[in-house]
Amino acid sequence: DPKIIQKPKYLVAVTGSEKILICEQYLGHNAMYWYRQSAKKPLEFMFSYSYQKLMDNQTASSRFQPQSSKKNHLDLQITALKPDDSATYFCASSQDRQRLFFGHGTKLSVL
Amino acid sequence: QQKVQQSPESLIVPEGGMASLNCTFSDRNSQYFWWYRQHSGEGPKALMSIFSNGDKKEGRFTAHLNKASLHVSLHIKDSQPSDSALYFCAGGVGAKLTFGGGTRLTVRP
């Protein structure tokens, strides 16, 4: 019974398009994160949110925009997609910055 | 920005053998350190944390932290084929956890 749900599991997009990656956590945690995993950078921090507020942003590009409509949701909108954006995107959550719990990831391929 | 050097990149050990993984962190403000394990097709899962100097043992896994050198290590005793996975060390300052590049461990039956 997964406690962190990421949708979709696989996503194929064309260059220049826009996609939204969905994440919901049912662990009651107060912090949520996005990480990216690719062959070039095995596990790279992107954003952290606490109580729906942005805490840290390590993503240089404004094409990546997190969206938090509820405290247990943290979606990731990616615009003007490029082939270099191809990666597996992991959502994670934690309570009070302790152990991170990761979802199963969304594997994005940009053609 | 935190830099993490993890070694080796890959490691093959026989079943029942000892696996040793190492990491060195750059940020002296790092407060806490973790080891995560990722099996193929899954997200990383936390194995154990270590916050104080010295050793911490949990079953077959022993983590070691030297705060002076910002070096952490993980030793897996009596390695099993099910231990075959990608292992990451991680160190944190505030809300952000920075991960090492990973060690791919293969345990040969």
Side-chain angles (χ1 to χ4, degrees):
Chain A
D1 185 22
K3 302 295 186 191
I4 299 182
I5 297 173
Q6 287 191 246
K7 297 176 188 174
K9 193 167 183 180
Y10 301 99
L11 190 55
V12 179
V14 295
T15 298
S17 67
E18 172 183 315
K19 292 293 179 188
I20 296 180
L21 282 56
I22 306 293
C23 179
E24 306 170 13
Q25 59 97 356
Y26 295 95
L27 293 164
H29 289 164
N30 57 15
M32 295 185 72
Y33 311 78
W34 279 102
Y35 280 81
R36 176 169 54 193
Q37 187 172 47
S38 65
K40 294 179 186 176
K41 294 185 179 181
L43 205 54
E44 178 188 15
F45 172 87
M46 298 180 73
F47 301 96
S48 66
Y49 266 65
S50 182
Y51 296 106
Q52 292 185 266
K53 291 184 181 176
L54 180 67
M55 299 299 290
D56 203 346
N57 176 358
Q58 283 295 123
T59 303
S61 174
S62 59
R63 296 186 299 106
F64 294 83
Q65 289 293 326
Q67 300 171 343
S68 181
S69 59
K70 299 180 191 177
K71 68 175 182 180
N72 68 326
H73 282 230
L74 186 64
D75 300 336
L76 181 65
Q77 178 186 40
I78 314 173
T79 57
L81 278 160
K82 303 177 180 181
D84 261 1
D85 298 330
S86 298
T88 299
Y89 291 81
F90 287 102
C91 174
S93 70
S94 72
Q95 181 64 26
D96 297 329
R97 305 173 183 175
Q98 296 300 315
R99 172 186 298 231
L100 284 174
F101 290 79
F102 286 84
H104 278 228
T106 292
K107 186 171 182 179
L108 173 65
S109 299
V110 183
L111 307 176
Chain B
Q1 188 173 350
Q2 173 94 271
K3 300 260 191 282
V4 185
Q5 293 288 335
Q6 184 169 350
S7 64
E9 287 187 12
S10 63
L11 180 62
I12 300 174
V13 300
E15 183 174 357
M18 171 79 84
S20 295
L21 291 63
N22 300 284
C23 284
T24 303
F25 293 81
S26 63
D27 191 337
R28 295 215 160 266
N29 294 316
S30 298
Q31 298 161 324
Y32 47 94
F33 302 89
W34 290 85
W35 284 98
Y36 282 76
R37 178 165 77 178
Q38 183 180 24
H39 285 106
S40 183
E42 299 180 3
K45 289 181 183 169
L47 271 176
M48 59 192 301
S49 62
I50 185 164
F51 303 154
S52 304
N53 267 328
D55 292 338
K56 181 179 180 182
K57 186 178 178 185
E58 291 187 2
R60 296 185 294 110
F61 298 85
T62 300
H64 176 82
L65 171 61
N66 181 327
K67 280 192 173 180
S69 59
L70 289 178
H71 182 261
V72 296
S73 58
L74 179 70
H75 305 279
I76 307 172
K77 190 175 72 169
D78 188 24
S79 298
Q80 301 298 308
S82 57
D83 294 328
S84 295
L86 190 54
Y87 288 76
F88 294 99
C89 58
V93 179
K96 188 174 71 177
L97 209 56
T98 302
F99 284 75
T103 294
R104 184 162 296 283
L105 173 65
T106 303
V107 181
R108 294 247 190 262

